[in-house]
Amino acid sequence: MLDSYAVIGNPIAHSKSPLIHTAFAQQTHQPVHYVAILAALDDFKSTVESFRHQGGKGLNVTVPFKLEAFQLSTRLTERATIAQAVNTLKFDGNEILGDNTDGAGLVRDIELNLGIPIATKRILLLGAGGAARGVILPLLQQKPSLLAIANRTPHKAETLQQQFSAYGNIIAGDFIHFSGDQFDIIINATSASLHDALPELPIGIFAQTILAYDMMYSREPTRFLKFAQLHGTRQIADGVGMLVEQAAESFFVWRNVRPQTKPVIAMLKSPM
Ligand code: ATR
């Protein structure tokens, strides 16, 4: 008998999560069956409940349901509470545990896969939506010297600054606010790349940058990554590593077994 897991979202057809978790299950010899579930936009809760009542053990939750998953959870981890979003549900008797592994995935990708320690670095985080919020605490826990949050609509960045100021050295503003400043790591957590758009960044911002990271991924480098490369960043990375690392962290939450991520990242990066 296999234990049943799934990723739930809308849209979901292009999700790589079934491929990733099936690879993890084979590699670790865990009895895991993992599929993708499309939930109607107004039907998240009942879709989750029916999966659970059929014996499902856990779900990954993706766009646009992370806030609803947060509200559905009967117990939350600290990192999910602070992110105010849930990407991992674990069903245990009557309990619905909500966790958020996105930030841990980003940190592990930058530090372990790309080999760049976050401690003492100056970081610029672009965006102030759910994707940005979810990674702020895990980034601050690695003790960067500064976390700057830049957003097209500056008051959203300032709200995040106020909410997280107890956890580290944070500043906030719009993109132009950071003209003339230099950063070691610049992370794009806006949804601009989804629309093949580019945040309006000040010229020169990448001059001293070691790593430009786009949390989105696509076959070709995103416009953000191409722009960063053109303007002097030393290294670029898209969100494939983060995707696999957050999946591995979810797998660990469910199975208490940590799969190896490098072969799975290599599999996703290889031409199909
Ligand atoms: P998510 O949950 O993916 O973060 P979201 O909550 O809708 O999605 O937030 C999207 C983020 O991308 C926001 O920070 C948004 O900026 P605004 O707050 O000013 O709307 C940002 N964003 C989207 N398109 C952008 C663009 N073309 N240029 C710059 N920022 C953009």
Side-chain angles (χ1 to χ4, degrees), residues 21-250:
H21 282 279
T22 302
F24 287 164
Q26 283 168 356
Q27 182 205 107
T28 58
H29 307 290
Q30 287 285 303
V32 163
H33 178 67
Y34 191 108
V35 297
I37 297 175
L38 176 72
L41 291 176
D42 59 356
D43 206 25
F44 173 73
K45 190 172 174 191
S46 55
T47 309
V48 171
E49 288 302 349
S50 81
F51 177 76
R52 187 171 157 228
H53 288 128
Q54 285 162 26
K57 300 269 186 202
L59 287 168
N60 282 132
V61 181
T62 187
V63 177
F65 298 124
K66 290 184 187 184
L67 184 60
E68 278 184 77
F70 175 78
Q71 287 158 348
L72 194 66
S73 304
T74 59
R75 187 161 73 87
L76 290 161
T77 61
E78 189 199 10
R79 57 192 181 180
T81 306
I82 288 168
Q84 290 178 23
V86 157
N87 79 335
T88 304
L89 293 170
K90 181 181 179 182
F91 307 129
D92 193 4
N94 285 332
E95 182 180 276
I96 303 176
L97 174 71
D99 197 357
N100 190 317
T101 65
D102 285 330
L106 174 68
V107 166
R108 288 180 75 91
D109 193 36
I110 292 175
E111 295 208 316
L112 302 181
N113 300 331
L114 302 170
I116 299 172
I118 290 168
T120 74
K121 297 293 192 302
R122 290 169 58 87
I123 300 181
L124 175 62
L125 181 66
L126 307 173
R133 165 183 284 283
V135 301
I136 293 174
L137 183 67
L139 285 171
L140 289 174
Q141 284 171 334
Q142 305 311 309
K143 305 259 182 282
S145 66
L146 175 72
L147 180 66
I149 306 173
N151 198 46
R152 184 173 58 183
T153 314
H155 78 84
K156 290 196 210 163
E158 285 151 13
T159 302
L160 289 177
Q161 176 199 9
Q162 282 155 16
Q163 286 172 358
F164 287 93
S165 61
Y167 298 96
N169 183 20
I170 315 182
I171 57 175
D174 59 13
F175 299 127
I176 296 306
H177 181 83
F178 296 104
S179 294
D181 289 353
Q182 300 298 329
F183 297 94
D184 302 302
I185 300 173
I186 301 184
I187 300 166
N188 185 15
T190 73
S191 54
S193 298
L194 270 183
H195 320 291
D196 198 29
L198 185 68
E200 286 176 31
L201 299 167
I203 295 292
I205 198 105
F206 293 101
Q208 302 293 325
T209 301
I210 308 169
L211 173 67
Y213 193 103
D214 200 330
M215 283 168 49
M216 301 282 159
Y217 63 91
S218 55
R219 277 264 146 236
E220 294 295 309
T222 62
R223 278 187 69 188
F224 167 77
L225 294 180
K226 285 185 192 152
F227 183 86
Q229 213 162 26
L230 192 67
H231 289 87
T233 193
R234 262 189 259 163
Q235 193 178 342
I236 60 169
D238 70 11
V240 166
M242 175 178 175
L243 177 75
V244 175
E245 292 296 342
Q246 64 78 30
E249 190 78 12
S250 296

Side-chain angles (χ1 to χ4, degrees), residues 254-270:
W254 293 326
R255 311 298 304 181
N256 209 23
V257 171
R258 196 172 278 288
Q260 283 186 14
T261 51
K262 283 213 167 110
V264 180
I265 294 171
M267 174 184 79
L268 290 186
K269 284 188 174 167
S270 68

